[in-house]
Amino acid sequence: MPAITAPITVASALRSPRLLSRELLAGLVVAMALIPEAISFSIIAGVDPRYGLFSSFIMAVSIAVVGGRPAMISAATGAVALVIAPVAREHGIDYFIATVILAGALQIILSLLGVTRLLRFIPRSVMIGFVNALAILVALAQLPHLIAVPWLVYPLVVLAILILVFLPRVTRAVPAPLVAIVTVTVIVVVMGARVPNVGDQGTLPTSLPELFVPRVPLTWETLGIIGPFALAMAIVGLLESLMTAKLVDEITDTGSNKTREAWGQGVSNILSGFFGGMGGCAMIGQTMINVKSSGARTRISTFAAGSFLLALVVFLGGVVSMIPMAALVAVMLMVSVATFDWHSIRLSTLRRMPLGETGVMVITVAVVVATENLAIGVIVGVLVAMVVFARRVAHLATVTREISEEGSVLYRVRGALFFASSNDLVTQFDYAADPEHVTIDFSGAHIWDASSVAALDSIQERFARHDVRTTLSGLNAPSENLRRRLTGNL
């Protein structure tokens, strides 16, 4: 019997130089990848780059302590930036930061109300669509760095990809992304080549983040302005974070506390706001770099990512600015390839998979890619999956007609009776041809909602119009209680 490997904890990593170095190097790689992303998302939100960079630092450090999913990276994200960008554009930075703080408070409230339990209603087909759409978005985000650039960028990207592919086959002592970034940077510096680098993405801050209290009036009018945006940010942030946490659970074969992760996201966003950050949520791309590419498993890597990020941009900004975007693009492209669920699109898989499940996955991917919003895609995917499920279950309710030797008629109803299946139930009885008394047996059925009770009332009324008396038998206790409470009142 194979030995069970204990999960790596912070304590075990601190006792092992090998594990500790892996966690710290993973954090360093993630920090480098976070810098251009944070700058880009700040631009999307319409604020100075320092808001995204400070937010990424504060969220990564704080979520490492209060979060429920070890090794997951939280920072400034594009989805959050898109949601709250109108606030900065129309009302200014103080209202913008107030929105971030309120969103964090709402996330804490939602977590205490048990919103994480809703995760169980997200089907596997939507989860696969989420993962595949994310991989596509990560790849598409690299295209601007590969179009209308010096020719040297392309061989540099190829070199970095070769390192990322083949170095792990030789050794995993050092994360391949770190080796690729350092190698490409050294080549560019030695050659004196001019290629797009991190410094071209925006100005890096030169000071530490400071306490920021937004100057907004504490009135209902203010709440009316920022409330809708804060609620949207809270929901989008929680959805992306919980979906990412579930994905990391599967990759690492470990569990995590989703409720703690939810309120931890809220705490991190509140802290981010009070220190001049734009807020955010879990970052799937950087999380995959941390967990899949670099092999990190503990909170140390997340804390290190935030700490290295601050040190790099504030104290080593000149060095960081020289990192070629080609190296980071290569890393993100490989993350995209590793994240995509290739098994889900194999012909053998598609032939076995029900058409409805495949359709849900494709729709989820299409909506996410079209809107560039993972939350919208997941919500649409869940709604489509509900419709597919309802249509499928609706056909499971059957009615069979049995005639005894004495001429009495017995109908047997089997299946789940709810709004989708009960609507057709009324048409499955032979009202005009039946004798003056029929029995309807529900021992193989269950009544779930008021629509089904209304359908039973309609059936009895139609029989009564033909002077046929009906007896309902075999109802289980919950079904009978629901029918007695509602029948005749609908």
Side-chain angles (χ1 to χ4, degrees), residues 431 454 456-466 470 488:
Y431 302 98
L456 296 188
D457 287 350
S458 179
I459 290 169
Q460 289 185 295
E461 289 173 5
R462 294 180 69 168
F463 271 120
R465 287 200 295 267
H466 290 82
T470 56

Side-chain angles (χ1 to χ4, degrees), residues 123 125-126 360 363-364 367 375-386:
S125 54
V126 175
V360 169
I363 290 173
T364 302
V367 174
I376 293 176
V378 169
I379 292 172
V380 172
V382 170
L383 292 176
V384 174
M386 290 171 59

Side-chain angles (χ1 to χ4, degrees), residues 38 42 45 47-59 76 84 93-94 96-98 100-101 205 207-214 268-280 310:
S42 299
V47 297
D48 190 271
R50 72 174 184 273
Y51 291 99
L53 291 166
F54 286 163
S55 182
S56 296
F57 153 66
I58 294 164
M59 291 202 70
I84 60 176
I93 196 65
D94 287 284
F96 179 83
I97 297 299
V100 173
I101 295 171
S207 61
L208 297 173
E210 299 177 351
L211 184 65
F212 184 99
V213 179
S268 294
N269 273 307
I270 291 174
L271 291 174
S272 173
F274 277 121
F275 281 92
M278 59 179 279
L310 183 67

Side-chain angles (χ1 to χ4, degrees), residues 249-402:
D249 288 351
E250 295 177 0
I251 292 172
T252 61
D253 198 22
T254 58
S256 62
N257 189 329
K258 303 300 187 300
T259 299
R260 177 178 173 180
E261 183 60 41
W263 66 254
Q265 290 289 329
V267 171
S268 294
N269 273 307
I270 291 174
L271 291 174
S272 173
F274 277 121
F275 281 92
M278 59 179 279
C281 60
M283 296 190 75
I284 186 81
Q286 275 66 22
T287 298
M288 291 300 100
I289 291 175
N290 195 46
V291 174
K292 261 194 165 182
S293 302
S294 302
R297 291 293 182 271
T298 74
R299 300 175 186 273
I300 295 175
S301 59
T302 308
F303 187 89
S307 302
F308 281 133
L309 172 64
L310 183 67
L312 288 171
V313 299
V314 174
F315 304 112
L316 297 172
V319 177
V320 172
S321 297
M322 294 188 297
I323 297 177
M325 288 303 299
L328 298 177
V329 166
V331 172
M332 297 309 294
L333 287 176
M334 291 305 297
V335 166
S336 174
V337 171
T339 302
F340 196 92
D341 188 344
W342 298 100
H343 177 75
S344 66
I345 61 172
R346 289 178 183 169
L347 289 178
S348 58
T349 303
L350 294 175
R351 280 196 295 265
R352 295 189 185 97
M353 193 69 62
L355 185 60
E357 301 261 345
T358 302
V360 169
M361 180 190 72
V362 172
I363 290 173
T364 302
V365 172
V367 174
V368 171
V369 173
T371 62
E372 296 186 355
N373 191 312
L374 292 165
I376 293 176
V378 169
I379 292 172
V380 172
V382 170
L383 292 176
V384 174
M386 290 171 59
V387 173
V388 172
F389 173 77
R391 287 177 60 86
R392 186 180 300 165
V393 175
H395 298 295
L396 296 181
T398 60
V399 178
T400 57
R401 185 172 182 265
E402 301 175 6

